[in-house]
Amino acid sequence: SPTPSPTTYTVTVASYLGANYFYVDGSRAPTLSLTEGQTYKFDQADSSNSSHPLRISEYTTGVTTSGTPGSSGAYTQIEVASGAPTLYYYCTNHSGMGGQLNT
């Protein structure tokens, strides 16, 4: 059977009260609910992502990254494993930009 296409979130970076945050589909560092067995793609093609690589905290199962943030085609993708813990997304270069991923 064909693999269902991933749920894609558009990621941008913007300043709020003097600090940068990841904005996911226009919301500042939202807590997202992910479903086990589903695939989620965090699209980092927007130029505001330059120098802000989004990663999933201390968890690499089913996580793939591609491209350079801020460039066309750049993304981080996660296929949520069964029994995955609560996860967090963050910037590898700057603290405090991300949010929580509930599974």
Side-chain angles (χ1 to χ4, degrees), residues 50-88:
S50 180
S51 84
H52 300 295
L54 182 148
R55 295 294 181 263
I56 309 295
S57 63
E58 298 172 16
Y59 192 75
T60 55
T61 305
V63 177
T64 53
T65 58
S66 179
T68 301
S71 302
S72 179
Y75 67 87
T76 295
Q77 183 169 290
I78 180 170
E79 183 176 344
V80 182
S82 179
T86 296
L87 303 170
Y88 299 88

Side-chain angles (χ1 to χ4, degrees), residues 1 5 10 20 28 30 38 41 49 55 58 64 67-68 72 86 90 100:
S1 65
S5 60
T10 299
N20 281 334
R28 180 174 48 89
Q38 299 295 311
K41 184 175 188 175
N49 286 286
R55 295 294 181 263
E58 298 172 16
T64 53
T68 301
S72 179
T86 296
Y90 72 102
Q100 186 169 314

